[in-house]
Amino acid sequence: MTPEELARRMGADPATATEPISDTEIRGLDIEVYRPGDDGDGVIRVGECAGWSFAIEYGDSTGGELLIEIARDGVEVVHFRPMPEQRPALLDYARDGAVLCGFGLGEERWRWGQEPDLLVPDLVAAKVLEADGVTSCDPGREPDGAARSRTLGAVERRFGLSLPRAALGGLRLPAYAVRGTPGMALT
């Protein structure tokens, strides 16, 4: 799917894209993250890398809620939520309108979805989980973030992902409102 179709499936009006902007510039938009008793504003920047369309979400975005809708008609979706305020980071894989598997990073032994064990061989090969698919490898014996990096690396290899760090920051991408009424003009 094109980045524009991804934006549409996430709730954007394709005709309302901003000029390409960076992560720094998007923080200059008028985005109200929380409104008591109502949704906050959600904004995405979209692009394409190595045959995958991607969206970077800001504010009260829709990616997690619309995962099944985004993944309909044969589309594959890898949805990563860093969750900096509330650990753990979460990862879901959906295809053909269903969440096939998901887990929290650092909590890979607790999985969900129609095929919760789908990525276990990849996690075992990456030395995130022991061969039993439940026990964490060397918990507490490595630097912070090492197991998380191995998990993300296993997912990247499995699905052929290669999103450059520049896409998360300086790369200029079109932005769309997907929820609420954010002010989309740069201030």
Side-chain angles (χ1 to χ4, degrees), residues 171-182:
L171 189 62
R172 300 176 68 77
L173 301 167
Y176 298 85
V178 294
R179 173 178 277 155
T181 55

Side-chain angles (χ1 to χ4, degrees), residues 27-183:
R27 296 182 191 288
L29 299 178
D30 184 20
I31 300 173
E32 189 70 38
V33 176
Y34 175 75
R35 288 189 184 90
D38 198 5
D39 292 330
D41 296 330
V43 175
I44 58 173
R45 289 189 312 137
V46 297
E48 186 273 332
C49 183
W52 283 82
S53 291
F54 64 88
I56 303 169
E57 301 177 88
Y58 301 86
D60 190 13
S61 189
T62 58
E65 295 167 21
L66 297 175
L67 193 56
I68 291 170
E69 168 64 19
I70 296 166
R72 69 177 172 26
D73 301 328
V75 170
E76 289 183 285
V77 176
V78 176
H79 186 245
F80 175 66
R81 291 169 279 179
M83 308 288 285
E85 299 87 29
Q86 175 185 341
R87 303 274 179 202
L90 300 175
L91 188 129
D92 289 298
Y93 170 65
R95 182 181 67 225
D96 288 330
V99 175
L100 297 185
C101 64
F103 51 83
L105 275 68
E107 297 180 356
E108 292 84 359
R109 63 190 228 138
W110 292 295
R111 300 177 290 272
W112 55 83
Q114 290 182 355
E115 298 178 41
D117 297 339
L118 180 69
L119 298 178
V120 168
D122 303 280
L123 297 172
V124 169
K127 299 190 181 338
V128 174
L129 295 175
E130 297 287 347
D132 65 6
V134 176
T135 308
S136 296
C137 290
D138 296 322
R141 296 185 194 166
E142 58 190 357
D144 282 347
R148 176 185 168 120
S149 292
R150 286 197 310 277
T151 297
L152 291 173
V155 171
E156 287 172 352
R157 285 186 295 280
R158 170 66 183 255
F159 297 109
L161 303 174
S162 61
L163 185 61
R165 281 212 168 270
L168 303 175
L171 189 62
R172 300 176 68 77
L173 301 167
Y176 298 85
V178 294
R179 173 178 277 155
T181 55

Side-chain angles (χ1 to χ4, degrees), residues 1-8 46-48 52-54:
M1 115 174 54
T2 66
E4 294 77 18
E5 175 63 11
L6 175 58
R8 190 189 67 69
V46 297
E48 186 273 332
W52 283 82
S53 291
F54 64 88

